[in-house]
Amino acid sequence: MNLDHQFQPIIFPSPEEALKGVVAVTDTLNLNLLYSAYLQGIFPWYNETEGEPVVWWSPDPRFVLFPQELHVPRRLKRFLRHTPYRYTMNQAFPQVIDACANVTRVDQEGTWIGPAMIETYCQLFHCGVAHSVEVWRQDQLVGGLYGVLIGQVFFGESMFSREPDTSKSAFVLFVEAFRSCGGQLIDSQVYTSNLARFGARNISRSSFLRLERDFLPQELTGNLQEEFQRIAMGVSPKKN
């Protein structure tokens, strides 16, 4: 869904002139700011629970995954052939982002996903721009991820796992569906060893902004949610 006719675009300072990746600082976070930021290669990252202002980032380099370069470790391929989990898309966005906000992470105290961020991304979800992938063991949500989709670019935001390999397997299925539907670029923002294992790599900020300008106006060639469910049905446990 294109929100261009529903909101007043806000022009940020040029990311190319950002000092140490910080483009701007605002007192508030809202739908207009958030959607405008993604259109300009910018995202919010701040500690709301400690009362920090909203800090808008465009780092250099930028950590991305080109879907055609996806590398799936052999162990994870074996896991997906016998996964005990069921995978869905856009069935529990509020629960996924809440779980991402509250999951315990190694070497990290607290979370950058506060109430205002949750509310604003949920608004993006209701507009059809933010999306979630869920992993279920029976009726229990045990893993998932969420992000923002504009054109042929997916901006990955966060993932969580309550059981081994849940978010990793969900990510692989999502990338396969995204690639099948003509997706061109997955933004992971900054380096993580987890996504590096899947083939993500650093590119310059200027390269990222050029790619974004090329791919944001282009629509996917297929229905992403339907393609995801088709692929997920091939690996999800069969009902007796």
Side-chain angles (χ1 to χ4, degrees):
M1 180 182 296
N2 192 320
L3 290 184
D4 291 351
H5 66 288
Q6 298 185 27
F7 81 122
Q8 297 296 320
I10 297 169
I11 305 302
F12 282 80
S14 171
E16 295 283 19
E17 300 175 4
L19 179 63
K20 296 183 179 180
V22 176
V23 177
V25 177
T26 61
D27 293 329
T28 60
L29 176 68
N30 58 49
L31 186 61
N32 281 354
L33 278 167
L34 189 59
Y35 186 65
S36 297
Y38 279 109
L39 293 176
Q40 298 167 68
I42 300 164
F43 59 89
W45 190 16
Y46 67 108
N47 194 323
E48 180 181 343
T49 59
E50 293 188 1
E52 292 182 359
V54 183
V55 184
W56 301 90
W57 295 82
S58 183
D60 188 13
R62 195 75 169 232
F63 196 55
V64 303
L65 173 66
F66 295 95
Q68 66 273 20
E69 296 180 0
L70 173 68
H71 168 72
V72 184
R74 283 182 291 180
R75 187 189 64 79
L76 193 56
K77 287 181 180 179
R78 292 194 298 269
F79 173 83
L80 276 167
R81 286 196 291 267
H82 305 286
T83 177
Y85 304 118
R86 178 171 59 90
Y87 302 86
T88 60
M89 185 173 178
N90 294 333
Q91 299 304 301
F93 185 92
Q95 295 94 314
V96 168
I97 192 171
D98 184 71
C100 288
N102 291 291
V103 69
T104 300
R105 303 178 192 274
V106 177
D107 299 327
Q108 179 178 308
E109 295 181 5
T111 177
W112 71 95
I113 308 173
M117 191 170 282
I118 290 173
E119 179 183 357
T120 309
Y121 277 94
C122 283
Q123 291 174 4
L124 267 188
F125 170 71
H126 290 302
C127 292
V129 177
H131 300 271
S132 61
V133 173
E134 302 88 21
V135 188
W136 307 89
R137 181 184 286 277
Q138 298 178 345
D139 294 327
Q140 297 296 313
L141 183 67
V142 293
L145 60 94
Y146 78 95
V148 172
L149 175 66
I150 304 176
Q152 296 177 348
V153 182
F154 182 75
F155 303 87
E157 281 300 322
S158 187
M159 57 178 63
F160 79 98
S161 295
R162 291 176 176 147
E163 296 186 11
D165 293 325
T166 51
S167 62
K168 292 178 182 178
S169 56
F171 179 73
V172 167
L173 297 179
F174 175 82
V175 176
E176 291 178 349
F178 184 62
R179 178 176 57 194
S180 178
C181 289
Q184 296 294 326
L185 185 67
I186 295 175
D187 174 33
S188 299
Q189 301 174 347
V190 295
Y191 177 89
T192 67
S193 58
N194 183 33
L195 289 183
R197 297 187 186 98
F198 292 101
R201 56 187 173 92
N202 280 325
I203 63 173
S204 68
R205 179 170 55 198
S206 58
S207 295
F208 173 80
L209 294 173
R210 283 198 303 272
L211 291 170
E212 190 182 53
R213 286 192 293 268
D214 289 341
F215 296 141
L216 288 184
Q218 307 299 321
E219 295 184 359
L220 292 179
T221 58
N223 185 302
L224 180 59
Q225 185 166 344
E226 290 181 358
E227 180 64 10
F228 178 85
Q229 292 304 154
R230 184 191 69 79
I231 292 173
M233 285 295 293
V235 300
S236 294
K238 303 300 184 292
K239 293 182 178 180
N240 295 327

